[in-house]
Structure formats: C-alpha cells, structure tokens
Amino acid sequence: MKKTASFLAALLLTLAPLTACGEQEHTVSVLAMDTVMELTAYGGNSQAALEKCESRIRELDSLLSVTDKESEIYAANHSGGRPVALSDDTASLLEAALALCAATGGALDVTVYPVVRAWGFTTGTYRVLEDAELKQLLRRVDYKKVRLGGGTLTLPEGMELDLGGVAKGFAGDVLLDLLREEGVESAILSLGGSIHTLGARPDGSPWRVAVRAPEGDGYAGVLEVRDKSVVTSGGYERYFEKDGEAYWHIIDPATGCPARSGVLSATVVGEDGALCDGLSTALFVLGPEKAEALWRARRDFDFVLLLDGGAALVTEGLADSFSLIDGWSDHPLQVVN
Ligand code: AMP
Ligand code: MG
C-alpha cells in the first residue's frame, strides 16, 4: 500500500513538478503547423489553460494550413480569382503579414508559395530550378496584388498564399493572450523555432532562450528575456543538397532562389510575435546591411544575426542580454548602435 502511494506521488510529481518556489509546472506537446510544439505554464490554472491553448492551435492550423484541403488558405489558393470570406483570425494575420511585406520592401512576400513548392519544399521532391522556369513562376508572385478588405480576400488567378513565414509567431501572440485571460502569469511556448514568453520564470529570473548554431546540433548563443518573443529563421531548418551546394527553404522573392545574403540565421526579439516571425524570415533575405537599416527606421524589434564567416551582429537592445556560448564563444560579436 505504502509502495503504491509513493509510486503515485512520484508519478504525480512527473506530471506536475513543483518549481523551487512551489509553483506547479504543466507541459503540453502538440503536433501542429508542421512542427512539434511544446507549451509550458506555471501556477494553479495552468493545466486547464494549456488545454485551451491546444485546441486553439489546432483551430489556427486548420484555418492557415496551405496543404489542408479544408483550410481557408487552401480555399483562397483554389478560388480562381473569386473573393473568399475569411475568419477574423486569418484576416488579422493576413493584414499584419501584408503590412510586413510592404515594410520589408517585399523581402517577405506571402505569395511566394508557387516558387517554394516548385523547389520541392512542400512536396519533398527537391530539384534545382532553371532560370526560365523561375521567370515564369515569379510572374505569380507579388503581395501587392492581394486584395483584403471587410474580411474578404481576393487573390488573382494563379497566385497562391503561404503564411508559413508568419503563422507560428501569430499563433504565439494568440496563445499568450489566451493564457493571460486565464490568469497565467508565467509561461514559455516553443512553437518550432518560434519562442514566446509570458512574464518571467516562476522564481522571477528571466527566461533563457538558446539560439541554435547554424551548423551541427549545438548552440551559438543564449538570450535572457521576459515577456518577449524570440523567433529564429535559419537555412539549416529545411534544405537539400545538390552537387555540394545547399538549397534552403527561405526564398528571395526577387530571384526565386534560396536567399544568400550572408546571414546563416536571423533571430528577432520583440513584443509582437507575428512581427518577430515575419521579420526573422525577411532579415534572412535582406542581409546584414539592410537588416540594420530596417532596425534603425523602426526600432520596434531587436535582432541577432549569425553571419557567414562566423561573426555575430546584435542590436544594442540585446547587448546585455545576449551571449555567445559553446563553439561560438570566441567568435566576434559586434553591437549595432
Ligand atoms: P520561417 O521559418 O518563419 O523563416 O518561414 C519559412 C517559410 O516561409 C518557408 O518554409 C516558406 O513556406 C515560406 N517562405 C520562404 N521564403 C519566404 C519569403 N521570402 N517570404 C515569405 N514566406 C517565405
Ligand atoms: Mg518567420
């Protein structure tokens, strides 16, 4: 009897471990948006709140998926140029995404999908595209032709949307709002390269978020944050190799080819998760000089760029909270003021 009781106690501890300051920790894993998501929250109501988060993620995934035949994005992509009614979720994400496409001069372009698919990044049948085919495909890419108003979307025939560059960051914002409404004060959501933090850790110390090294399995740096989103885009996340060259899933809409800007990974830190996600993809395309210019013009985000050649570039807002670690600890770290 005693044995059973202690076994049960041990089991409960694994399911809901207590932190050093006595707050209960709950974790939920969800497979959605093509990735494994891990949601961790602390405190009394956190388990119930995380269950609501799980259904909310599934709801968003089913609206935004580019491959799910029931999704709103799929309906828009097969509308033959006819107007399509959008849910509030899809409309508000698309509105934010289109604003970021404009703000980045089209480095982020939510209509790049025909090109992404032709390279094989959604089908798994990879091939290197020739100039003539790229030229044809690029005729179908231009976010400026997307019409959105009053909850209705009109996409010219032949064009297709892909919100994969912003959806996880947007999901992070939605989930953090939900957790706040449920009274949760401390949580960290890891949505596959898109990290969203609520408050601080239960003991009041900042969250420590690691930035992957672009090569190998290790890490290049660590960021200390509170109430911030940290979103990374890297070529290493999805790529194929042909004749010794790597081709990755982040496409420069100006050329239709994988972006080669000198950036190996772009991490954006800020309060708005959708903005961080959209900008991380865009900065990877833009490269260090244009990334810096965009930061100077906006100042509503910070970044860490890991550059080809081994240097790291961070904006001044992160100078005290970012440090290089492991194999990157002796690499040059330059602060952008
Ligand atoms: P992320 O991991 O947020 O950088 O998003 C990468 C995903 O966004 C890719 O897998 C594509 O589906 C899509 N994508 C690739 N290049 C672009 C681009 N230039 N603008 C918008 N979306 C893109
Ligand atoms: Mg992104």
Side-chain angles (χ1 to χ4, degrees):
M1 184 63 200
K2 207 170 161 203
K3 212 170 171 184
T4 318
S6 61
F7 169 71
L8 265 183
L11 187 69
L12 283 175
L13 270 178
T14 11
L15 294 178
L18 293 176
T19 64
C21 30
E23 290 262 41
Q24 269 193 349
E25 176 185 293
H26 290 282
T27 298
V28 163
S29 296
V30 189
L31 226 127
M33 298 187 176
D34 258 340
T35 191
V36 182
M37 302 185 163
E38 188 125 308
L39 322 179
T40 303
Y42 297 86
N45 194 33
S46 56
Q47 185 165 22
L50 287 179
E51 279 162 19
K52 291 189 181 169
C53 285
E54 185 175 349
S55 3
R56 197 71 174 91
I57 291 177
R58 297 202 190 285
E59 191 178 23
L60 289 175
D61 197 12
S62 67
L63 290 173
L64 302 174
S65 163
V66 74
T67 48
D68 178 350
K69 293 194 169 132
E70 306 293 314
S71 84
E72 287 188 349
I73 296 302
Y74 191 94
N77 289 352
H78 295 81
S79 62
R82 285 182 295 276
V84 180
L86 297 183
S87 61
D88 290 350
D89 280 332
T90 310
S92 65
L93 169 56
L94 184 56
E95 192 182 344
L98 288 170
L100 288 171
C101 294
T104 59
L108 182 78
D109 191 320
V110 288
T111 64
V112 81
Y113 187 57
V115 183
V116 171
R117 185 183 41 212
W119 282 98
F121 291 110
T122 44
T123 58
T125 311
Y126 299 118
R127 61 198 181 93
V128 177
L129 303 184
E130 301 294 337
D131 287 348
E133 186 176 1
L134 279 173
K135 213 171 144 202
Q136 288 296 323
L137 287 167
L138 285 174
R139 291 200 185 140
R140 299 161 61 191
V141 178
D142 185 359
Y143 72 90
K144 293 194 204 94
K145 294 185 180 151
V146 178
R147 293 277 163 267
L148 175 68
T152 302
L153 162 68
T154 314
L155 198 59
E157 186 155 18
M159 289 184 65
E160 291 171 272
L161 288 178
D162 169 13
L163 296 176
V166 280
K168 286 181 276 180
F170 175 76
D173 292 335
V174 169
L175 299 184
L176 288 189
D177 279 346
L178 202 160
L179 289 170
R180 274 187 213 105
E181 278 166 27
E182 294 292 312
V184 175
E185 291 175 355
S186 172
I188 185 161
L189 315 177
S190 171
L191 314 181
S194 191
I195 312 288
H196 305 273
T197 65
L198 177 62
R201 282 160 42 156
D203 66 1
S205 65
W207 301 101
R208 288 167 59 79
V209 179
V211 177
R212 286 214 84 84
E215 273 153 19
D217 290 333
Y219 295 99
V222 62
L223 275 160
E224 295 196 325
V225 293
R226 289 183 170 85
D227 273 317
K228 290 266 163 60
S229 293
V230 179
V231 184
T232 300
S233 289
Y236 56 87
E237 283 166 13
R238 201 178 308 165
Y239 66 96
F240 67 95
E241 279 174 316
K242 180 95 199 290
D243 301 329
E245 195 159 352
Y247 297 86
W248 43 72
H249 66 133
I250 303 173
I251 301 294
D252 181 347
T255 63
C257 293
R260 300 199 195 281
S261 66
V263 173
L264 298 179
S265 91
T267 297
V268 175
V269 181
E271 269 154 34
D272 180 327
L275 178 124
C276 292
D277 196 353
L279 289 185
S280 72
T281 309
L283 298 193
F284 188 93
V285 173
L286 287 171
E289 287 84 20
K290 289 182 185 158
E292 210 176 303
L294 188 64
W295 175 75
R296 284 187 205 291
R298 296 182 62 108
R299 303 265 178 169
D300 56 352
F301 67 96
D302 277 292
F303 67 67
V304 179
L305 302 182
L306 302 182
L307 303 179
D308 203 358
L313 202 61
V314 300
T315 49
E316 63 184 350
L318 301 176
D320 296 330
S321 49
F322 177 74
S323 24
L324 290 168
I325 56 169
D326 297 346
W328 275 66
S329 49
D330 53 4
H331 285 222
L333 175 66
Q334 195 190 324
V335 178
V336 180
N337 298 293

